[in-house]
């Protein structure tokens, strides 16, 4: 039987276990009995099959007996697993370099971005800076960075001391996230990560929302660098999009995904479409050289599939200009889900109504926040959001330019709420009548946004 030298041991173990009709619990029990090692548990087997851990040589000897697989086959598969450079949403699946070498060790200098001292550090920054709206546990960051908890914890502490990351505790779990107020380094670092380790995230988000896309593989110079082959930085992104046999993908959706990817990554994107195959045909990837690494990227599905084309917007030039100067940025995945923004805005409005008589100042602050959330929801529906370095007025400017003068109230509310933050000012008080007036205004904004948003498509 021909041996696939690229198949990782996780797949070999899973296939052999199922062939023997064993559960993970049964396999762990048999291994613990035959080896005399009670530490072999179902959780350990699960880590092997998820690719999070490679069985050691002694354990592979017992696996060969229980699974009835030649040990040589397991050793080859273990070597293949070590060659698979995994980081976040991407993994080298074909033609990985034969030997790990110092450039590809988890703690080695990353060839994709050699200004960082380790792949672990680059992986942590890619996960956190590319997802500024969420927190990560150490376990999640270890999976993104492809390293141990100890290494990730060490890097996290250094990045937190530098003010790039911030942490909080939720029970016994420490959660890390990007520090959006991390000073002048946050913006440039985010751009560096977006153009290097952020490529799988952006490609997975944009092409993952095209109906019918089931597989995405990257090739070319970027894949070489990701796999640890040193050289110059990639000038373009080459990828292959796979679809089910007999299905035709929407050409307009693909063009929109490619255009948005180019704008987010600031480099040309070349893609081809092929029917799904068991193994990617590297020759179909644009500009792919035979025998060079192939990186598979997980498609990231939006929670609500966005339309590709929607209502015509008069303010497209304003949005394009804000994107060019970095005050707006494109976003996909959970960040492009408008529903949580609208739900929180509705709760703020309901709370504000209860406070209009007894505490009109508090009512007004809640209404201002609700208006801000409504504007954020409308941008999210278009796959847009304000950048961390954007001035406060950008949200109101972007929404008003596209949806009309009614939404200029977002900025008016923000400025009035800012006055309330100075309790010594003569303008720092709101009377109940003013709160009730703006209650109707914000309710009207919410109703208009709810009506318009289903017609919106991704901005491109």
């Amino acid at each position: 039987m021909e041996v696939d030298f690229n198949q990782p041991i996780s797949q070999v173990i899973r296939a052999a276990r199922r062939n023997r009709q064993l559960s993970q619990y049964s396999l762990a029990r048999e291994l613990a009995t035959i080896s005399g090692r009670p530490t072999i548990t179902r959780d350990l087997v699960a880590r092997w099959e998820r690719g999070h851990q490679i069985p050691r040589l002694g354990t592979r000897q017992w696996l060969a007996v229980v699974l009835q697989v030649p040990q040589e086959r397991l050793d080859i598969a273990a070597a293949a697993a070590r060659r698979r450079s995994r980081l976040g949403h991407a993994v080298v699946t074909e033609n990985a370099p034969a030997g790990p070498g110092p450039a590809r060790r988890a703690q080695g200098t990353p060839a994709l971005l050699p200004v960082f001292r380790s792949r672990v550090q680059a992986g942590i920054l890619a996960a956190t800076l590319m997802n500024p709206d969420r927190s990560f546990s150490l376990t999640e960051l270890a999976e993104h960075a492809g390293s141990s908890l100890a290494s990730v914890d060490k890097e996290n502490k250094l990045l937190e001391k530098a003010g790039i990351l911030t942490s909080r505790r939720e029970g016994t779990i420490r959660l890390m996230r990007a520090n959006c107020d991390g000073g002048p380094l946050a913006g440039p670092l985010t751009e560096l990560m977006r153009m290097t380790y952020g490529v799988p995230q952006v490609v997975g988000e944009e092409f993952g929302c095209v109906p019918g896309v089931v597989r995405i593989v990257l090739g070319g110079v970027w894949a070489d660098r990701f796999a640890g082959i040193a050289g110059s930085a990639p000038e373009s992104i080459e990828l292959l999009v796979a679809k089910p046999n007999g299905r035709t993908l929407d050409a307009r959706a693909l063009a929109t995904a490619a255009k948005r990817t180019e704008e987010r990554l600031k480099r040309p994107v070349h893609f081809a479409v092929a029917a799904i195959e068991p193994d990617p045909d590297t020759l179909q990837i644009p500009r792919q050289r035979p025998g060079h690494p192939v990186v598979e990227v997980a498609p990231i599905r939006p929670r609500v599939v966005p339309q590709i084309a929607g209502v015509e917007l008069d303010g497209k030039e304003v949005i394009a200009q804000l994107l060019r100067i970095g005050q707006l940025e494109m976003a996909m995945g959970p960040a492009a889900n408008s529903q949580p923004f609208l739900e929180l805005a509705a709760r703020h409005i309901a709370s504000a109504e209860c406070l209009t008589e007894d505490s009109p100042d508090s009512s007004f602050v809640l209404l201002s926040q609700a208006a801000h959330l409504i504007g954020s929801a409308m941008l999210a529906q278009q796959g847009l959001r304000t950048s961390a370095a954007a001035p406060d007025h950008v949200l109101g400017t972007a929404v008003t330019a596209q949806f009309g003068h009614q939404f200029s109230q977002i900025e008016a509310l923000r400025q009035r709420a800012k006055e309330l933050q100075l309790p010594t000012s003569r303008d720092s008080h709101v009377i109940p009548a003013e709160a009730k007036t703006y209650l109707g205004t914000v309710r009207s904004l919410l109703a208009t946004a709810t009506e318009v948003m289903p017609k919106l498509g991704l901005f491109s």
Side-chain angles (χ1 to χ4, degrees):
M1 184 180 69
E2 186 177 349
V3 175
D4 181 358
F5 287 90
N6 283 315
Q7 188 177 26
I9 195 167
S10 58
Q11 296 178 11
V12 174
I13 293 174
R14 186 184 299 111
R17 175 179 62 77
R18 290 175 176 173
N19 188 51
R20 284 213 55 210
Q21 299 183 343
L22 294 173
S23 67
Q24 290 181 338
Y25 285 104
S26 300
L27 175 57
R29 187 167 55 249
E30 287 198 28
L31 285 172
T33 301
I34 194 173
S35 67
R37 297 176 182 173
T39 53
I40 299 180
T41 62
R42 180 261 174 192
D43 289 339
L44 181 58
V45 172
R47 287 200 297 274
W48 294 340
E49 294 192 0
R50 287 197 298 265
H52 295 171
Q53 189 170 332
I54 298 173
R56 295 181 178 180
L57 178 60
T59 306
R60 292 200 296 273
Q61 293 174 347
W62 298 116
L63 272 169
V65 174
V66 175
L67 295 176
Q68 300 175 8
V69 174
Q71 185 180 337
E72 181 184 5
R73 177 72 187 90
L74 293 174
D75 292 342
I76 292 172
R82 293 190 185 96
R83 293 196 302 269
R84 289 165 71 96
S85 299
R86 180 184 294 275
L87 198 79
H89 299 285
V91 58
V92 179
T93 56
E94 296 288 327
N95 305 321
R104 294 189 59 259
R105 289 183 294 110
Q107 293 293 344
T109 302
L112 187 59
L113 194 57
V115 296
F116 290 111
R117 69 192 187 98
S118 72
R119 281 174 53 87
V120 178
Q121 186 184 71
I124 292 169
L125 288 172
T128 52
L129 294 178
M130 292 297 296
N131 298 278
D133 54 342
R134 61 162 294 192
S135 299
F136 295 84
S137 67
L138 289 181
T139 302
E140 289 174 318
L141 287 179
E143 186 170 345
H144 271 273
S147 186
S148 66
L149 288 173
S151 297
V152 168
D153 185 47
K154 178 181 176 182
E155 296 290 351
N156 277 348
K157 288 176 179 176
L158 292 173
L159 293 170
E160 189 173 7
K161 285 181 180 178
I164 298 170
L165 300 184
T166 183
S167 69
R168 64 182 174 87
R169 286 203 172 272
E170 208 169 80
T172 58
I173 300 175
R174 185 156 62 99
L175 298 174
M176 310 295 300
R177 69 180 300 158
N179 184 5
C180 294
D181 300 321
L185 289 178
L189 271 177
T190 301
E191 286 304 307
L192 275 176
M193 301 315 299
R194 178 176 288 113
M195 292 189 289
T196 53
Y197 284 102
V199 168
Q201 175 88 16
V202 173
V203 169
E205 287 176 352
E206 296 297 347
F207 283 89
C209 75
V210 177
V213 170
V214 293
R215 195 173 186 185
I216 305 170
V217 290
L218 286 161
V221 176
W222 185 89
D224 287 354
R225 301 297 164 269
F226 182 85
I229 302 174
S232 59
E235 296 181 356
S236 62
I237 304 299
E238 327 296 335
L239 64 112
L240 175 69
V241 176
K243 64 180 182 65
N245 287 311
R247 176 162 182 174
T248 302
L249 299 184
D250 186 337
R252 183 175 56 178
L254 286 169
T256 299
K259 185 176 180 181
R260 284 175 54 89
T261 302
E262 287 184 339
E263 295 210 12
R264 293 179 70 183
L265 297 178
K266 298 180 175 60
R267 67 187 72 185
V269 172
H270 307 286
F271 72 92
V273 180
I276 186 70
E277 297 290 343
D279 297 310
D281 181 359
T282 60
L283 297 180
Q284 295 185 72
I285 301 175
R287 306 184 187 183
Q288 174 72 355
R289 293 162 291 176
H292 278 253
V294 172
V295 178
E296 184 152 358
V297 174
I300 303 172
R301 309 296 183 190
R303 293 181 182 177
V304 179
V305 178
Q307 296 181 0
I308 299 304
V311 297
E312 291 296 325
L313 305 174
D314 296 330
K316 289 191 75 170
E317 279 303 314
V318 174
I319 301 301
Q321 174 64 13
L322 291 173
L323 285 167
R324 280 194 293 271
I325 63 178
Q327 293 184 353
L328 281 183
E329 62 185 19
M330 292 183 175
M332 284 298 291
N337 182 9
S338 60
Q339 199 57 37
F341 292 96
L342 293 182
E343 290 173 356
L344 183 55
R347 292 199 295 271
H348 281 353
I349 293 171
S351 299
E353 184 178 13
C354 300
L355 296 171
T356 51
E357 291 291 345
D358 297 333
S359 183
D361 292 353
S362 301
S363 175
F364 195 94
V365 170
L366 283 170
L367 291 171
S368 173
Q369 292 175 353
H372 188 279
L373 288 164
I374 292 167
S376 298
M378 300 186 80
L379 291 184
Q381 187 76 5
Q382 299 174 269
L384 298 170
R385 66 183 174 195
T386 57
S387 67
D392 293 337
H393 66 80
V394 167
L395 177 74
T397 300
V399 177
T400 304
Q402 297 185 92
F403 306 108
H405 181 71
Q406 177 183 8
F407 288 90
S408 64
Q409 294 294 337
I410 294 176
E411 176 61 14
L413 280 157
R414 183 192 69 81
Q415 292 183 1
R416 183 71 178 95
K418 190 175 180 180
E419 294 172 348
L420 302 181
Q421 296 174 9
L422 297 172
T424 57
S425 168
R426 65 181 181 180
D427 297 320
S428 63
H429 297 290
V430 172
I431 62 175
E434 185 180 6
K436 288 177 182 177
T437 298
Y438 275 101
L439 178 64
T441 298
V442 178
R443 277 181 173 157
S444 175
L445 293 181
L446 180 60
T448 303
T450 304
E451 180 182 354
V452 169
M453 282 200 298
K455 306 173 186 176
L456 295 179
L458 294 175
F459 185 90
S460 65

